[in-house]
Amino acid sequence: TSLFSLQRGDYKDYLILGPANLLEGTADFAGWKRSRGYNVTTEAISSPNNTTAAIQAIVKKHYEAGIDF
């Protein structure tokens, strides 16, 4: 049996959060995932919105909008 219960195609969304100066470094990864059919959303976080509560609110906003991760 597989260690993971998810099958390929079960989840197709990625949410990548990070400081704006580091998000550029995720462009190749995000492009690669997009080329394989994944929906990739990137969002920059910055001070003062880099608290745990602020990040949780960002994730919640995307989840409620329909991102399936």
Side-chain angles (χ1 to χ4, degrees), residues 2-68:
S2 173
L3 178 62
F4 302 102
S5 61
L6 299 176
Q7 298 299 312
R8 181 172 172 78
D10 284 352
Y11 293 114
K12 291 294 230 175
D13 297 325
Y14 273 80
L15 175 60
I16 302 172
L17 302 174
N21 64 328
L22 296 180
L23 281 182
E24 185 177 314
T26 67
D28 288 343
F29 173 76
W32 176 69
K33 283 301 193 180
R34 286 183 185 110
S35 75
R36 281 156 178 68
Y38 289 85
N39 303 310
V40 181
T41 301
T42 58
E43 186 166 327
I45 54 173
S46 60
S47 184
N49 294 325
N50 60 356
T51 66
T52 303
I55 293 169
Q56 182 180 14
I58 292 168
V59 171
K60 182 178 180 182
K61 173 186 77 172
H62 286 284
Y63 180 77
E64 289 174 348
I67 281 187
D68 187 19

